[in-house]
Amino acid sequence: MVPGRSQETVVTSEPVSYRLCSLREDVMVEVDGGGDFIMLTTHWGDATIAQPTEAVRESLERMSLGPVRLDNVLPRDPAERRRVERVLELLNGVVVHSLGHEEMSGPVLSAVPIARRARFILPKIERHRPIKLSKFAAMRASEGELVLESPLARHRLILHRPIASQVVTLLGRATVLPDLAAAANLGLPMVREIVSYLVAAGMVLIGIGDSPTSARFAEDNDPLLAPWTHHELLFHSRSRIGRHDNPLGAMPSDMRQIQVAPAVKPVPDGPRFPLYRPTLAELAAMDPPFTEVIEANRAIRDFSAGDPTQQQLGELLFRAARVRSMTQVGQDDLSYLVTDRPYPSVADRYELDLYVTVNSCAGLSRGIYHYDPQGHALTLINRSETELAELLDVAMVAAGSRQRPPVLITMTARMARFACSYGGIAYSTVLEHVGVLQQTLHLVATAMGLAPCALAFGDSEIASDAFLIDWPAEVSVGEIALGVRPEVDSLKKNRPLEMPCFTDTKRHVKVTDKLLY
């Protein structure tokens, strides 16, 4: 049901607040010539209302023009009123609910549905019940206004007036309505109205108990939410369709900058070292069977068996990450180059670049190198022992190893190469590409008798400084450590690895503390 004006706001001496409804700005309402149906074109698809009454047609047409007070559009006849209300319930996914106030020219706040299954039901909140802002809610600026969002909510709250944002900020800790009204220096009925909208939109929780200090809130002990932090759940909800209305796919033409994001990053200045190019026919004849490689593929954290050679590193990069060919696609201003490489990438964008940190590798001096996938060569870009040591120490901890890896390969992403055509899901897709490249490197390294170990994390600040890149135009997104495979873990024996033990305890504790604190 869509209630009208609450009784409490009517009987008080305060200026009256009231409920406004409108359709999302992207909804188009079309009435056929005979009036047999109304077609609504929405973000979620088309909706048809058959045999609409005059009241239904007038309500939807007025709501498509902006917020309207329901008392002014709902018919007095009870049966007709219920029919309009039922139609609005069916269209909950596109109906914007706003709180108006007679002393203000515009709404106080608006709850905008961002999912097809959005539902908006105003609760009755008793004055003694504890209330608190959800720990998953976050406030940000958007198009000149403050917006409140949560990955758990199917509405976005637009806080049009300062009193709305004031109430939100005071809900950071549990409280009750009378105390909240006193702290905000606002009347209790107005505060109750604002909080009821926040609850209906999924931003504020109603607790159990009579005291805010001892109140229990559902999300605090929910086993389904326990594995999630705020930013991870928000990232998940925004990188899949269904729980948001953010644009996906190509960005507006004036935001496309594909032409300034080259298919291959220009080679930086520095000494250049061409890498070994193996013969693919010989590799095919010498490699172990694919099934054997798959079964032997695992993360190896023991780097004590020796150091890889420049030739092995060249073979690995050639087989896993080189540019095989380049092709021009598109037309006119939207034409651009794409590349073909050994691992897959959505639309052949290949936004990932590789940096190689060499601790000990026969044929290469210690240092930090950039890999040119087109020329198949390394360029020495940084000789800093401090930054090299920091990168290797982080890798050691991330691998759970007892020593620094001989070689560390870091993946970075040039976001302008990808986000221009995959806005909204760009970064999540980049991370999928990282997994694909890590797997490709892992399999090739395993087939070569090397010891690969994909890492779960890296330090973006250290990487930005060490690789001389401009964050966030180019960001580090993944790592893989590399050594020589121990004889006891050769492809033929496939013996499971033991759990890692840390012999250098002082160094491990020191590096871990630096990472965490």
Side-chain angles (χ1 to χ4, degrees):
M1 296 285 290
V2 182
R5 187 188 319 177
S6 67
Q7 290 296 318
E8 182 168 7
T9 57
V10 174
V11 297
T12 62
S13 58
E14 281 197 346
V16 178
S17 59
Y18 48 86
R19 189 167 179 180
L20 300 165
C21 283
S22 60
L23 299 178
R24 282 175 48 108
E25 293 181 354
D26 55 6
V27 175
M28 293 181 58
V29 178
E30 298 181 62
V31 182
D32 78 312
D36 294 331
F37 65 88
I38 298 176
M39 174 72 76
L40 286 86
T41 303
T42 79
H43 184 83
W44 327 115
D46 294 339
T48 302
I49 300 173
Q51 302 300 319
T53 64
E54 181 66 21
V56 169
R57 183 190 61 76
E58 181 181 356
S59 298
L60 293 179
E61 287 183 338
R62 292 185 63 178
M63 288 170 59
S64 68
L65 300 177
V68 296
R69 192 167 176 174
L70 283 184
D71 285 347
N72 294 337
V73 297
L74 289 179
R76 294 185 178 182
D77 178 71
E80 280 294 296
R81 191 181 187 98
R82 284 194 297 271
R83 181 173 178 84
V84 174
E85 290 171 344
R86 283 197 299 269
V87 169
L88 294 185
E89 288 175 358
L90 292 173
L91 298 175
N92 243 326
V94 296
V95 175
V96 178
H97 302 269
S98 301
L99 176 63
H101 199 283
E102 286 194 348
E103 283 194 345
M104 301 177 187
S105 58
V108 176
L109 55 78
S110 296
V112 181
I114 60 172
R116 181 195 301 270
R117 298 180 180 177
R119 296 293 179 268
F120 191 84
I121 302 175
L122 287 173
K124 294 182 179 179
I125 309 174
E126 298 169 316
R127 54 187 293 138
H128 69 279
R129 292 292 296 275
I131 50 178
K132 184 181 72 169
L133 188 68
S134 168
K135 64 183 179 182
F136 290 96
M139 192 186 306
R140 65 179 178 88
S142 176
E143 297 181 355
E145 296 193 279
L146 287 178
V147 169
L148 191 64
E149 296 175 306
S150 167
L152 299 178
R154 291 188 172 96
H155 285 85
R156 174 174 55 249
L157 255 297
I158 302 177
L159 309 176
H160 302 291
R161 300 292 177 178
I163 60 171
S165 56
Q166 181 184 5
V167 170
V168 170
T169 57
L170 292 171
L171 284 166
R173 63 176 61 186
T175 185
V176 292
L177 284 173
D179 292 346
L180 180 61
N185 196 26
L186 296 170
L188 179 59
M190 187 70 234
V191 170
R192 188 194 300 272
E193 292 277 10
I194 293 175
V195 172
S196 67
Y197 272 71
L198 295 173
V199 173
M203 306 296 173
V204 167
L205 309 173
I206 301 177
I208 299 174
D210 294 328
S211 170
T213 56
S214 60
R216 289 176 295 139
F217 295 90
E219 73 179 17
D220 293 337
N221 300 297
D222 188 340
L224 300 180
L225 294 176
W228 292 99
T229 62
H230 159 76
H231 66 278
E232 287 176 321
L233 189 56
L234 181 62
F235 175 57
H236 163 71
S237 67
R238 297 307 188 257
S239 62
R240 309 281 295 176
I241 63 173
R243 297 188 70 95
H244 67 89
D245 61 348
N246 296 335
L248 299 176
M251 305 292 280
S253 58
D254 59 342
M255 296 178 64
R256 293 184 186 177
Q257 299 182 21
I258 188 71
Q259 64 272 20
V260 300
V264 177
K265 182 177 180 178
V267 177
D269 295 331
R272 187 171 172 85
F273 301 87
L275 292 173
Y276 168 68
R277 293 174 177 265
T279 302
L280 294 179
E282 293 180 357
L283 294 176
M286 295 172 55
D287 273 349
F290 183 67
T291 299
E292 187 176 334
V293 174
I294 286 286
E295 293 304 310
N297 183 35
R298 58 175 56 87
I300 298 178
R301 299 170 174 84
D302 181 2
F303 303 120
S304 62
D307 304 328
T309 66
Q310 181 185 18
Q311 179 171 324
Q312 288 175 316
L313 183 59
E315 179 181 330
L316 174 67
L317 295 174
F318 181 86
R319 297 176 67 174
R322 79 186 188 281
V323 171
R324 294 188 291 206
S325 64
M326 299 185 71
T327 307
Q328 189 85 20
V329 299
Q331 295 180 348
D332 302 327
D333 294 340
L334 296 181
S335 65
Y336 56 95
L337 284 172
V338 298
T339 61
D340 174 53
R341 310 187 192 191
Y343 66 96
S345 178
V346 172
D348 295 331
R349 290 303 175 110
Y350 290 102
E351 75 289 347
L352 299 181
D353 276 276
L354 299 182
Y355 293 82
V356 180
T357 302
V358 173
N359 181 25
S360 52
C361 177
L364 281 175
S365 60
R366 284 169 56 84
I368 300 169
Y369 299 78
H370 170 262
Y371 174 60
D372 171 18
Q374 187 174 18
H376 189 56
L378 294 177
T379 301
L380 180 61
I381 59 172
N382 194 340
R383 294 180 181 270
S384 169
E385 281 292 331
T386 299
E387 290 171 341
L388 186 145
E390 287 179 327
L391 287 169
L392 294 173
D393 278 343
V394 172
M396 177 187 67
V397 174
S401 179
R402 63 185 69 181
Q403 66 272 123
R404 293 172 173 174
V407 174
L408 172 67
I409 299 175
T410 303
M411 305 164 202
T412 66
R414 292 175 294 132
M415 294 305 297
R417 175 68 185 168
F418 201 74
C420 54
S421 291
Y422 292 89
I425 59 170
Y427 188 64
S428 64
T429 308
V430 165
L431 296 185
E432 293 170 355
H433 289 163
V434 169
V436 169
L437 181 51
Q438 283 180 330
Q439 174 74 337
T440 304
L441 288 164
H442 243 269
L443 291 173
V444 174
T446 299
M448 293 174 58
L450 298 175
C453 182
L455 307 183
F457 63 86
D459 190 315
S460 59
E461 287 288 290
I462 296 174
S464 294
D465 293 340
F467 304 149
L468 310 178
I469 57 179
D470 294 326
W471 187 95
E474 184 177 354
V475 295
S476 61
V477 287
E479 294 82 15
I480 184 169
L482 191 67
V484 174
R485 199 175 187 91
E487 181 63 27
V488 295
D489 195 55
S490 66
L491 262 63
K492 297 300 181 183
K493 294 184 179 181
N494 290 335
R495 193 178 79 179
L497 290 176
E498 296 179 357
M499 291 299 292
C501 59
F502 301 102
T503 56
D504 192 347
T505 307
K506 291 183 179 180
R507 169 187 270 180
H508 180 259
V509 171
K510 179 180 178 182
V511 174
T512 303
D513 286 347
K514 181 179 178 181
L515 290 174
L516 297 180
Y517 307 106

